[in-house]
Structure formats: structure tokens, C-alpha cells
Amino acid sequence: MANVTTPIKAEARDLNFFYSNGARALKGISMPLYENKITALIGPSGCGKSTFLRCFNRMHDLYPGNKYQGQIVMHPDNTNVLDAGVDPIEVRMRISMVFQKPNPFPKSIYENVAYGLRVRGENNKRIMDDKVEEALKGAALWNEVKDRLHDLAFNLSGGQQQRLCIARALATDPEIMLFDEPTSALDPIATANIEELMVELRSKLTILVVTHNMQQAARVSDYTAYMYLGELIEYNDTDKIFTTPSRKETEDYITGKFG
Amino acid sequence: MEHRASVIENLGEVRAMIKRHKRNDLLFAGLGLLCLMLGLVTLMLLFWQLIADGYPKFTLDFLTEFPSRHASRAGLLSAWTGSLLVMTVTFVTAVPIGVAAGLYLEEYAPKNWFTDLIEINVSNLAGVPSIIYGLLALGLFVYMLGFGQSILTAGLTLALLILPIVIVSTREAIRAIPVSIREAAYGVGATKWQVVYDHVFKYSYGGILTGVIIGMSRALGETAPIITIGALTFIAFLPPAPITAEPPFLNFEWLSSGFTVMPIQMFNWLSRPDHAFHINAAATGALIIVVTLLMNGAAIWMRYKIRKNIKW
């Protein structure tokens, strides 16, 4: 499938995941994420795509009783982010996340973007100002908010709030950014903005995006993985998945016979 | 389209049915309003009665005079200063302990049978009759710890009494913060304490404050536990002033001073046969209610101010 020269940024190896009630939500998933590419996860509700995404930044650690099995290895340092000896906080500093619904803090626009830096102990105002500006520019929000950085984030529109959340995730220079259905709460125009932004961000980092919307996967992603009932059914170039899928299940899903 | 036809055929019947159902709607609304008014009007009448009875004593002298055996000269000075000092002790102890306990239970404690047990007990403690707290305090603070029948003992007793209220309201305020906000903070690499301090505490302190004020206004009117620990009913002196002119400017002798509080003064006056004292009692009651209402009003106002910037 992928071009042999494309470097791998991270790689799931035989990943299983169990919720605290014992349910096995992921079944032996192995797949690479290619560097500076967008990988989309598609599949019907409950197929485990969000669960898979949330393994990458150890979000499941926040709730007791959840269990990982297998590895997610980051390159080039070969760190297994699921290793019990690796602090989830360290992982989240390298892999940031944008959520389904825009979830800005009830703080100013500036403070929202700066929070990731503050958490790291950054106090220098000059550095902070620069990073905030850079992140807001990176999230294509700077021109709209530069004159009101100290307004409350809640005063922004939904699409602006989501771009603010992207800026917040961007401010700390992560290597990978996870998007969990980032446009499902947005109108079509805001959605188009976010999609355009994701494509732009690709040059800076590696992106993994869960989407409920197949057209979105087709529009933005380089690679697409189709998941069903916790299993990875097919993973390939997005073009191939949508034109000549090799598995019958994938074809049924993308042609709308199922799901 | 058989279904539609049947509705049209029985249009009269259907309309009658809807009318019947709506009558029940109206009936319940009326009943509810009646119950609400019953409570409200009764309270208003009682309050009005207190004001009418106590009206002659609504003077500044009433606040600046010590109690006296002459009803007309008797005032509340020792009672309201006593209340103020006792409430200070209560606030200083109950708030940090209660808020910390609530934060711990909600954010840090593992969810198992033991914390469930603590949770049930905390809720139950809120319903324990206050005189039980008085008995506990008599044994623990007055005798075992030797604090005597002092302001310190009273303040700690009332702190115990309102601790469940503070803990429960802290937990409720924390629970109102959506998971998505926590995940956002954890997502950028915050530690648990950073999430608790930068977010959980900051977004919930409006609710916490409300609980604290409601607890404090309950403590203000408590009588039974204070009588149990042996508050005096006739005090013609003030405790040593907490603030002094000379260094170190703070003086803690007042903590061990004897005292009285407003509800006890009221109770004392009420138990006298001379009707003139009943006027004093009514005026005191009116004052306690007004202060309580003001405190609750302040709580509502502060919650509104703080919540105004938080939408979820």
C-alpha cells in the first residue's frame, strides 16, 4: 500500500483494549500512522474508532479499570506510549487532542491557548505571547481574534471555538494530533474551514482523525482505516479504500449498504 | 389512510378527550400553586408578626446595650458579638476542611465500597438532630479536649454541624463541571492537581460559596447544640477584643471566653414571664431572619455573578 519511503510516526501493534466492565473494545489492531499524513478512522457507531484514538494519548487512564494490551510505539525514539512506565502526561505532551464538541475553558481566548504552556511551567510573557500568536495563526484564527485576545472564549462562534481548541492543542508543538469527530457539532461552512485547516497542519505534524462522515475521510485523509466491531477490517490509501476496497465489508459500508 | 379517517370520524370524541386531559393539567398546576402558597404565606405571616411585635425595639440602642433586668434597657450587644465571633471560628474551620474533603472525595478518592460508605454517612450526618452534635461537643471539646464552655467550643461544634452541608455542596458544584472540560485539561498534559486547581476549583467555587453561606446561615440560627455545650444566657461583658492596638495586633484570648449568641438570647427573653421581654425576643428573631435572608441573597447574587461567564 503506502509508499515504502514514507516514514512511520507511530504504530499500533496487536492492540487490545478492555473497558472496566470487561468488554473488549479493540481486537488485535495493528496499523502504522505515516508521518505528516492524515489517517482517517471510519466505521459505524460503536466500532471502536474513538476508543482506538483515545489509546494514543492514554485518555482511558482517566477512568479506573480500563486495560490496554499490546503496544503503540512512537518513532523515532521507539517509546511504547502504553507502557506502564511511561507517564501519560508525557504522552499527552507529545500527542495532543481535539474533541468532538468544542470544549474551550471558561477563560480568555489567550489563556485557552496558553494553558498547555502554563502546564509546562512557562511563565515568560514574551515567549508566551509569541507562542499564542503562532498557534492562533496556525489554527487560522489570529485575524479574527487578535484584537480581543482577552475576551471570553465562549463569546466565539462554534467553528471559532473549535479552531481555538486546535490552537490550544497546537501551542505546545505536538508530534501527533488526534481529532475525535471534530466537525460533528459544526455547520457546513465551519466544517469546511476545519477540514482545510487539517490539510494545512499536515505539513507540521501527523494527524489521526475519527470521522462519522465518509465524505470527510475521502476529502481530507491520505490513508483510511475501516473498523467494525473492534476490528480493523481494512487499511489502505484513501483513494483505494473508496474506489477499489479489497474487502466486501468495506465496500458494503462505503457504498451505504450497511451502517 | 385508515388511521387518519378514524380520527376524523371521531373528531368530537377526540376533542373531548384532549379537553379532559388538559383539565387534569390545570388541576395539578393549581394544586401545586396552592401548596407553594401555603408554605410561603405562613412564613410571611410569621415574619410579619415578628416585625410587628419587635418594632418598638428597632433602635440602635438595642444593638449597643448589654442585656439588663429592665426589659426596656436590655440590648443585644453581647449576643451579636458572640454570634459574630462564633461564626468566625465556624467559617475558618468548616470551609477549608469541608472544601478539601469534598474535592478529595470527588477527584481523588478511589471509587469503592469504603468511599461509598463515607458518602452515605456524610449525607446522613446532614440529617442528624443538632442536639446530638451538642452532646458530642460537650464530651469531646468541653471535657476531653478541655476547651471549656467557650467561643472556640461553640464555633467548632457549629463547624461540625455544617460540615456535611459544605461537603455535599462542594461535591455537587464539582460534579456540574462537564467531563469535556477535564479531558481538555488532561489532554494538554495537565496533572491531576493542575486540573483540580486551575479548573475544577475555579469553576465550582460559586457553587461552593453558595453551600458555605447556606451552611453559615443555618449555623447562625442554631440553638440546641449551643445550649448543650453550656453557653451563658446572661452576659454583661464582651470577650477580649481580637484586634489590639499594640503588636502583635491579634489576640486569641477571646477564643476561650464565655459567650452568648442571638438565638440563645432570644430564647432567654422568651422564657421570662414579663411580657416586655417578649418584644426584645421578637426583635431578635426578626434580626436573625433578616441576616439569614441577606446571607442567602448574597449567595444567589454571587452565584449569578460567577456563573455569568460559564456556560455549559
Side-chain angles (χ1 to χ4, degrees):
Chain A
M1 54 189 260
N3 188 333
V4 268
T5 57
T6 315
I8 292 173
K9 181 63 210 170
E11 188 174 5
R13 292 179 186 161
D14 195 23
L15 176 66
N16 292 286
F17 180 78
F18 302 86
Y19 278 112
S20 55
N21 60 10
R24 186 176 174 198
L26 299 177
K27 298 171 184 164
I29 293 185
S30 296
M31 66 176 264
L33 296 189
Y34 294 101
E35 193 156 14
N36 297 110
K37 300 287 177 199
I38 298 177
T39 303
L41 295 169
I42 59 169
S45 287
C47 71
K49 52 195 192 306
S50 280
T51 305
F52 180 52
L53 180 99
R54 290 162 69 93
C55 288
F56 279 81
N57 65 346
R58 302 263 300 264
M59 226 43 181
H60 298 297
D61 286 35
L62 299 181
Y63 309 97
N66 294 333
K67 219 172 77 203
Y68 313 92
Q69 221 173 59
Q71 299 184 320
I72 292 177
V73 177
M74 277 183 82
H75 297 296
D77 50 309
N78 275 319
T79 305
N80 171 20
V81 302
L82 298 181
D83 192 290
V86 174
D87 198 307
I89 292 168
E90 172 195 319
V91 177
R92 292 173 200 144
M93 288 185 173
R94 300 180 66 183
I95 305 181
S96 63
M97 181 163 178
V98 176
F99 296 81
Q100 189 167 355
K101 262 176 69 183
N103 55 354
F105 304 128
K107 297 178 185 283
S108 70
I109 293 168
Y110 183 96
E111 280 305 319
N112 264 280
V113 182
Y115 188 66
L117 303 165
R118 288 207 192 281
V119 158
R120 284 157 179 71
E122 183 58 71
N123 277 320
N124 185 318
K125 190 166 179 327
R126 281 273 283 290
I127 296 177
M128 200 98 95
D129 287 351
D130 288 349
K131 289 264 187 190
V132 168
E133 179 174 343
E134 194 187 325
L136 284 169
K137 279 178 175 160
L141 192 59
W142 177 251
N143 287 330
E144 290 156 66
V145 301
K146 64 181 175 205
D147 301 320
R148 46 174 178 146
L149 288 175
H150 298 284
D151 275 14
L152 267 183
F154 286 141
N155 295 337
L156 299 174
S157 72
Q160 287 173 324
Q161 285 187 18
Q162 193 62 307
R163 274 180 283 149
L164 181 68
C165 293
I166 293 174
R168 179 174 66 192
L170 204 56
T172 51
D173 295 321
E175 297 157 55
I176 300 178
M177 199 179 279
L178 309 170
F179 288 83
D180 189 1
E181 303 200 26
T183 59
S184 63
L186 302 181
D187 62 74
I189 293 170
T191 299
N193 286 336
I194 301 281
E195 288 179 1
E196 194 182 322
L197 184 56
M198 286 168 69
V199 174
E200 272 169 38
L201 288 175
R202 183 172 55 178
S203 61
K204 290 185 209 154
L205 37 76
T206 303
I207 290 176
L208 180 62
V209 55
V210 163
T211 176
H212 208 79
N213 174 335
M214 272 181 283
Q215 286 73 33
Q216 182 168 65
R219 282 192 298 265
V220 304
S221 71
D222 302 296
Y223 301 101
T224 297
Y226 171 61
M227 288 177 69
Y228 182 58
L229 296 178
E231 282 177 83
L232 177 63
I233 305 294
E234 186 169 354
Y235 179 42
N236 212 331
D237 290 349
T238 297
D239 289 344
K240 292 212 179 95
I241 290 273
F242 283 98
T243 51
T244 51
S246 57
R247 294 278 296 261
K248 176 86 172 58
E249 298 97 309
T250 315
E251 190 179 340
D252 285 350
Y253 183 69
I254 59 160
T255 53
K257 271 189 207 146
F258 162 77
Chain B
M1 299 309 255
E2 202 181 326
H3 181 70
R4 183 196 283 172
S6 75
V7 171
I8 289 173
E9 268 168 37
N10 307 317
L11 208 51
E13 240 172 76
V14 170
R15 281 180 182 160
M17 180 194 70
I18 293 172
K19 215 172 187 173
R20 224 166 33 240
H21 290 177
K22 283 203 158 170
R23 210 162 41 225
N24 286 345
D25 241 6
L26 211 66
L27 205 69
F28 183 78
L31 200 70
L33 190 68
L34 191 74
C35 293
L36 182 70
M37 281 303 149
L38 214 64
L40 269 182
V41 169
T42 315
L43 271 177
M44 290 300 286
L45 283 177
L46 278 172
F47 187 38
W48 180 247
Q49 185 76 47
L50 274 180
I51 290 180
D53 287 354
Y55 183 73
K57 293 299 280 184
F58 289 165
T59 60
L60 206 59
D61 286 350
F62 188 57
L63 295 178
T64 56
E65 292 289 335
F66 283 113
S68 154
R69 57 200 172 83
H70 305 288
S72 57
R73 265 191 270 150
L76 263 182
L77 182 60
S78 51
W80 74 254
T81 46
S83 279
L84 190 71
L85 292 173
V86 168
M87 299 298 282
T88 306
V89 175
T90 303
F91 183 85
V92 167
T93 45
V95 173
I97 296 177
V99 172
L103 273 172
Y104 175 79
L105 276 175
E106 206 54 39
E107 295 292 321
Y108 284 90
K111 304 277 173 263
N112 55 29
W113 65 269
F114 186 66
T115 40
D116 283 349
L117 193 74
I118 291 178
E119 202 178 322
I120 293 169
N121 270 300
V122 169
S123 316
N124 279 344
L125 279 178
V128 170
S130 57
I131 194 155
I132 306 288
Y133 284 94
L135 289 172
L136 169 80
L138 186 66
L140 183 67
F141 298 134
V142 178
Y143 295 122
M144 264 179 71
L145 298 175
F147 294 161
Q149 300 169 340
S150 61
I151 289 178
L152 180 63
T153 299
L156 292 178
T157 309
L158 293 180
L160 280 185
L161 186 78
I162 69 166
L163 211 47
I165 302 174
V166 176
I167 294 175
V168 169
S169 60
T170 299
R171 299 187 65 183
E172 271 165 15
I174 291 173
R175 271 193 225 137
I177 299 170
V179 174
S180 63
I181 293 287
R182 287 164 210 265
E183 291 193 342
Y186 281 117
V188 294
T191 61
K192 192 157 211 164
W193 173 245
Q194 284 169 331
V195 174
V196 168
Y197 183 78
D198 294 337
H199 302 281
V200 172
F201 183 66
K202 287 200 177 142
Y203 310 149
S204 62
Y205 84 89
I208 295 176
L209 214 60
T210 314
V212 167
I213 292 176
I214 287 168
M216 292 295 284
S217 48
R218 161 140 191 228
L220 181 73
E222 270 304 334
T223 326
I226 307 283
I227 290 181
T228 319
I229 59 171
L232 305 170
T233 48
F234 187 94
I235 288 204
F237 62 86
L238 284 180
I243 299 163
T244 55
E246 304 89 44
F249 303 113
L250 285 177
N251 176 359
F252 290 102
E253 272 169 47
W254 57 275
L255 283 172
S256 50
S257 167
F259 68 99
T260 192
V261 291
M262 290 196 288
I264 290 190
Q265 187 63 68
M266 181 178 170
F267 175 70
N268 173 254
W269 279 330
L270 262 182
S271 54
R272 302 225 185 173
D274 183 354
H275 183 76
F277 281 108
H278 296 180
I279 296 172
N280 296 3
T284 312
L287 181 66
I288 294 174
I289 291 181
V290 167
V291 172
T292 307
L293 287 179
L294 282 178
M295 284 167 79
N296 283 308
I300 292 168
W301 182 75
M302 276 189 270
R303 188 171 43 188
Y304 165 77
K305 286 297 266 189
I306 292 165
R307 292 274 327 174
K308 209 170 57 172
N309 290 338
I310 297 178
K311 296 171 204 142
W312 48 53

